[in-house]
Amino acid sequence: MKVTINDVASHAGVSIKTVSRVMNNEPSVRKDTYDKVMAAITALQYQPNAAARNLASSRSFSIGYIYDNPNAYYVIDMQRGLLDACRKHGYELLIHPTNAKSPDIVREVIDLVQQSRLAGLVLTPPFSEMPHIAEALEKIGVHFVRIISGSTPSPKLSNCVLVDDFTAAFKITNHLLELGHTDIAFLCGDEEHSSSGERLAGYQAALTKRGITPNPKFIVPGSYSFESGVKGAKQLMNLSKKPSAIFACNDEIAAGALFSARLMNIAIPQQLAIAGFENSPFSRQTWPPLTTAHQPNVTIAQQAAELLFRHAKPNASKMLADKQPVFIPELLVRESTAVSK
Amino acid sequence: MKVTINDVASHAGVSIKTVSRVMNNEPSVRKDTYDKVMAAITALQYQPNAAARNLASSRSFSIGYIYDNPNAYYVIDMQRGLLDACRKHGYELLIHPTNAKSPDIVREVIDLVQQSRLAGLVLTPPFSEMPHIAEALEKIGVHFVRIISGSTPSPKLSNCVLVDDFTAAFKITNHLLELGHTDIAFLCGDEEHSSSGERLAGYQAALTKRGITPNPKFIVPGSYSFESGVKGAKQLMNLSKKPSAIFACNDEIAAGALFSARLMNIAIPQQLAIAGFENSPFSRQTWPPLTTAHQPNVTIAQQAAELLFRHAKPNASKMLADKQPVFIPELLVRESTAVSK
DNA sequence: ATAGAAATGACAGCGCTGGTCATCTGTTAG
DNA sequence: CTAACAGATGACCAGCGCTGTCATTTCTAT
């Protein structure tokens, strides 16, 4: 019922100490001994007692995931990916919803890490973009991995997983251009999220490449919310020169724009094409369904956790330590942009 | 930096065992000793080391939350509530997404409980409605709390938090009746979820009370999905005698019905009123926004965890042990039913 | 004053890791 | 073929911070 390290040792015909060495990836264990021990571990389904390990070594076997994101689907996907990686490595996941805007957010995070004795932390926006959090974490020597918007790996970003919003936004804009649209507007998300900036840049780059100068009136500041989309679309459709397509910074904004267009009796996509970003579940459930970009969040989270373990595990192989994953969200064409103008 | 039980003991002038007794609510600690120790604990900001407690006592200080629910907002809310309660009681939350339809789901749950040495489990649908899970859990003596659909507390349901879907559905149906609708259809959710049955019963009861015999053709079986709503609405609107209102078992189905109605050029709510259930975030973002019923999921989760702790903590006061919370989701009228027929 | 109950304390040990040596095995140079 | 050495393994102990058990002390009621 309860398999201890002793059982594994006698089953493998080695000493407890050797099993412990294997469990902790210590060097100087011969290959065949290692294999023998591993075999015993799987045969007996040995699960080390986390509490005992924890207590004896004073390091911990859990990582933390801090979130403050109104998009529940994003959070759930992240969790799923992190959990997968944790299970694989025998770690636990501590989740911590909180308020990123809180004035003592740094202290809160530090407290969490220290009280729960976390081995590491996975940071998603907005936390991954807060320099004082990264600094504080570095100062107390806690490993962390950030998931951020970006396209080019660099040594400075060694503990980051990059999501290439720029390229994905470029592709979406290109899709609209190929449909014949030239007057394409952009509804921004929150300025403080770098994803919004990256997507805007991708949009602008695509236009420029076609020889179109982005029209400043077509770039509407806003936030990642339905309401923002409602307002933004209204503003755009009241211009004397209206856009024929809108690229919204995420699906929620796009849904708002859709809503707004409907109030104004504008036919989608005949009179106005609308594209979103994120592929949230409801992007398929709007009418018409939204063209959008799909982020493989579960996989992204897995990779982030793997990266974290590579840094956090004392003796893990450093071979792969510098692989820096970049994910490019994939274009998903649906009916909100289906018909060319 | 790191305060141990020793520090507390010497600060309070007692033995470490006595501090331990206080920490564990053991009886036979004199009032003034108790106060002295508590004072020392607060003065020193003592935080017991979970790993050590765990190891020494072989009980654990974490509870589990198993989920398999496509509705991310529901899961996030549950987590939030559970986490709140856990923090308050010094417990941790272990989350475990899984597949409820898996053939060895019972074994998986049992393994989880035993391997992670969980103090208890919170079960939401569909797990809370699977009798073999409850049986297995009882057999191995693990505490658990179920969140289920129901209206009347009973001793058999002593470890349950009830959500009164019946009454809420009754209210929604009543709302439609008051708008003058008499031909009200019902789009069912998954049959195996008792919530669907309860809501159906509430709907039927409301009709019956008004002297209307529910029309079997107006009751469409289905599942908790957008697609089901699309199909259901189509089927209803192809009847020779069409309903003038649809009550969908949840918002997702309602959104599907909305989508379907739009394809058929049916004006909402002028030609057809549609109501949902759940108050998921996107129910506000459909067009028109959905009339629905709001479940206070965060609070429900908190109560469930509190109930669990009362059962799981060995020496906690049993005073409140038999309070059985019942939550009635609240009617939220929005534009999808706003105009009377 | 004294039995008996209640409150408190001493001590071992939960399962594991870290450290220190001692021993054993395998490899290489002579 | 053997000496000499490095690498691999084991034996052993302490101790992480706490709880369970049981012995001891203190209080209460007669």
Side-chain angles (χ1 to χ4, degrees):
Chain A
M1 172 85 216
K2 193 167 50 179
V3 183
T4 75
I5 195 168
N6 284 286
D7 304 324
V8 178
S10 50
H11 188 280
V14 297
S15 72
I16 290 187
K17 184 73 217 190
T18 300
V19 179
S20 172
R21 286 193 177 104
V22 170
M23 291 302 300
N24 294 289
N25 281 309
E26 288 180 28
S28 82
V29 175
R30 218 184 303 142
K31 180 75 171 54
D32 58 327
T33 324
Y34 180 90
D35 291 341
K36 253 193 322 195
V37 173
M38 285 311 274
I41 287 175
T42 35
L44 271 53
Q45 302 217 59
Y46 170 60
Q47 292 262 133
N49 180 323
R53 292 234 276 174
N54 214 316
L55 183 58
S57 66
S58 75
R59 57 196 178 107
S60 96
F61 297 87
S62 39
I63 63 171
Y65 169 46
I66 301 177
Y67 65 88
D68 177 14
N69 192 319
N71 184 342
Y73 289 97
Y74 179 81
V75 176
I76 288 286
D77 281 351
M78 288 299 302
Q79 271 183 195
R80 167 73 74 157
L82 296 176
L83 239 19
D84 286 348
C86 282
R87 259 179 233 180
K88 195 171 135 198
H89 291 260
Y91 273 65
E92 285 190 353
L93 181 68
L94 202 86
I95 54 177
H96 187 88
T98 186
N99 176 9
K101 298 242 171 90
S102 148
D104 352 273
I105 183 65
V106 176
R107 143 134 271 93
E108 187 184 333
V109 172
I110 300 299
D111 280 358
L112 173 77
V113 169
Q114 299 194 325
Q115 287 190 8
S116 302
R117 299 172 174 82
L118 296 182
L121 220 46
V122 174
L123 262 28
T124 52
F127 302 104
S128 56
E129 291 164 358
M130 295 164 65
H132 38 303
I133 288 205
E135 280 160 26
L137 252 21
E138 246 150 34
K139 200 159 128 203
I140 61 169
V142 180
H143 296 282
F144 63 97
V145 165
R146 283 172 291 178
I147 297 176
I148 58 173
S149 188
S151 53
T152 42
S154 86
K156 263 183 67 181
L157 270 32
S158 71
N159 61 343
C160 293
V161 173
L162 300 175
V163 178
D164 190 352
D165 286 306
F166 177 90
T167 304
F170 188 97
K171 284 197 213 161
I172 291 190
T173 312
N174 233 6
H175 161 70
L176 293 171
L177 287 165
E178 275 165 14
L179 290 175
H181 295 282
T182 51
D183 299 324
I184 305 173
F186 185 86
L187 295 179
C188 301
D190 300 74
E191 246 178 283
E192 59 267 38
H193 286 53
S194 67
S195 59
S196 176
E198 291 283 323
R199 289 169 199 176
L200 175 58
Y203 152 85
Q204 290 173 318
L207 291 185
T208 307
K209 198 175 167 205
R210 284 274 169 135
I212 301 174
T213 313
N215 176 349
K217 287 208 174 146
F218 282 175
I219 298 175
V220 185
S223 68
Y224 282 127
S225 71
F226 185 80
E227 285 69 27
S228 177
V230 174
K231 245 185 63 192
K234 199 158 140 196
Q235 179 179 330
L236 285 168
M237 300 318 279
N238 282 335
L239 291 174
S240 51
K241 181 178 164 62
K242 301 177 177 41
S244 70
I246 294 180
F247 174 14
C249 211
N250 79 351
D251 291 338
E252 224 165 314
I253 300 176
L258 223 48
F259 180 93
S260 208
R262 181 139 319 111
L263 287 182
M264 297 183 278
N265 279 311
I266 296 169
I268 314 290
Q270 293 78 8
Q271 292 174 263
L272 180 69
I274 297 184
F277 203 107
E278 263 181 22
N279 190 28
S280 42
F282 71 82
S283 68
R284 235 175 315 124
Q285 309 185 173
T286 55
W287 189 73
L290 282 170
T291 289
T292 188
H294 171 70
Q295 296 184 18
N297 289 323
V298 176
T299 315
I300 292 174
Q302 281 174 351
Q303 295 262 357
E306 292 285 349
L307 197 58
L308 183 58
F309 292 138
R310 280 207 290 272
H311 288 250
K313 282 192 175 178
N315 299 290
S317 102
K318 299 284 180 197
M319 304 276 110
L320 313 151
D322 289 319
K323 209 185 105 200
Q324 218 173 325
V326 180
F327 290 91
I328 304 178
E330 177 195 350
L331 175 66
L332 242 49
V333 176
R334 288 200 284 242
E335 286 146 53
S336 71
T337 64
V339 183
S340 115
K341 198 205 159 188
Chain B
M1 171 89 215
K2 195 165 51 180
V3 182
T4 75
I5 196 168
N6 282 287
D7 304 324
V8 178
S10 50
H11 188 281
V14 297
S15 74
I16 84 181
K17 181 68 224 196
T18 300
V19 179
S20 169
R21 287 199 174 95
V22 171
M23 290 303 300
N24 294 289
N25 281 309
E26 288 179 30
S28 81
V29 175
R30 219 181 303 142
K31 182 72 171 57
D32 56 329
T33 325
Y34 180 90
D35 291 340
K36 254 192 321 193
V37 173
M38 283 312 272
I41 288 174
T42 34
L44 271 54
Q45 300 218 60
Y46 169 61
Q47 292 260 133
N49 179 321
R53 294 233 272 175
N54 214 317
L55 181 58
S57 66
S58 75
R59 59 193 178 109
S60 94
F61 297 86
S62 41
I63 63 170
Y65 169 46
I66 301 176
Y67 66 86
D68 177 14
N69 193 320
N71 183 342
Y73 290 97
Y74 179 80
V75 175
I76 289 287
D77 281 352
M78 288 299 301
Q79 272 185 193
R80 167 74 73 157
L82 295 176
L83 239 18
D84 285 349
C86 280
R87 259 179 235 178
K88 194 171 135 199
H89 291 260
Y91 273 64
E92 285 190 354
L93 181 68
L94 202 86
I95 54 177
H96 187 88
T98 187
N99 176 8
K101 298 242 170 89
S102 148
D104 355 272
I105 183 64
V106 175
R107 142 135 272 92
E108 187 185 333
V109 172
I110 300 300
D111 280 358
L112 174 77
V113 169
Q114 299 194 326
Q115 287 190 8
S116 302
R117 299 170 175 82
L118 295 182
L121 220 47
V122 174
L123 263 28
T124 52
F127 302 104
S128 55
E129 290 164 0
M130 295 164 66
H132 38 303
I133 289 204
E135 279 161 25
L137 252 21
E138 245 150 35
K139 202 161 127 200
I140 62 168
V142 179
H143 296 281
F144 62 97
V145 165
R146 283 173 291 179
I147 296 176
I148 60 173
S149 187
S151 53
T152 41
S154 85
K156 263 183 69 182
L157 270 30
S158 70
N159 61 342
C160 293
V161 173
L162 301 175
V163 178
D164 190 352
D165 286 307
F166 177 90
T167 304
F170 188 96
K171 285 196 212 162
I172 290 190
T173 312
N174 233 8
H175 161 69
L176 294 170
L177 288 165
E178 276 166 12
L179 289 175
H181 296 281
T182 50
D183 299 323
I184 305 174
F186 185 86
L187 295 178
C188 300
D190 299 75
E191 246 179 281
E192 59 267 39
H193 287 53
S194 66
S195 58
S196 176
E198 291 284 321
R199 290 170 198 175
L200 176 58
Y203 152 86
Q204 292 173 317
L207 292 184
T208 308
K209 199 177 167 204
R210 284 273 170 138
I212 301 173
T213 314
N215 176 349
K217 287 205 174 149
F218 282 173
I219 298 175
V220 185
S223 67
Y224 282 127
S225 70
F226 185 80
E227 285 69 27
S228 178
V230 175
K231 245 186 62 193
K234 198 158 140 196
Q235 179 179 331
L236 284 169
M237 300 318 280
N238 282 334
L239 291 174
S240 52
K241 182 179 163 64
K242 300 177 178 45
S244 69
I246 294 180
F247 173 16
C249 212
N250 78 352
D251 291 337
E252 224 165 315
I253 301 175
L258 224 46
F259 180 93
S260 208
R262 182 140 316 112
L263 287 182
M264 296 183 278
N265 279 311
I266 295 169
I268 312 292
Q270 293 78 6
Q271 292 175 264
L272 179 69
I274 297 184
F277 204 107
E278 264 179 21
N279 189 28
S280 43
F282 71 82
S283 68
R284 237 174 313 126
Q285 310 186 171
T286 55
W287 188 75
L290 283 170
T291 289
T292 189
H294 171 72
Q295 298 185 16
N297 288 323
V298 175
T299 314
I300 291 174
Q302 280 173 352
Q303 296 262 357
E306 292 285 348
L307 197 58
L308 184 57
F309 292 138
R310 282 208 289 272
H311 287 251
K313 282 193 175 177
N315 299 292
S317 99
K318 299 285 182 197
M319 303 274 111
L320 314 149
D322 289 320
K323 209 186 103 197
Q324 218 172 324
V326 181
F327 290 90
I328 304 178
E330 176 195 350
L331 175 65
L332 241 50
V333 176
R334 288 199 284 242
E335 286 146 54
S336 71
T337 64
V339 185
S340 115
K341 198 203 161 190

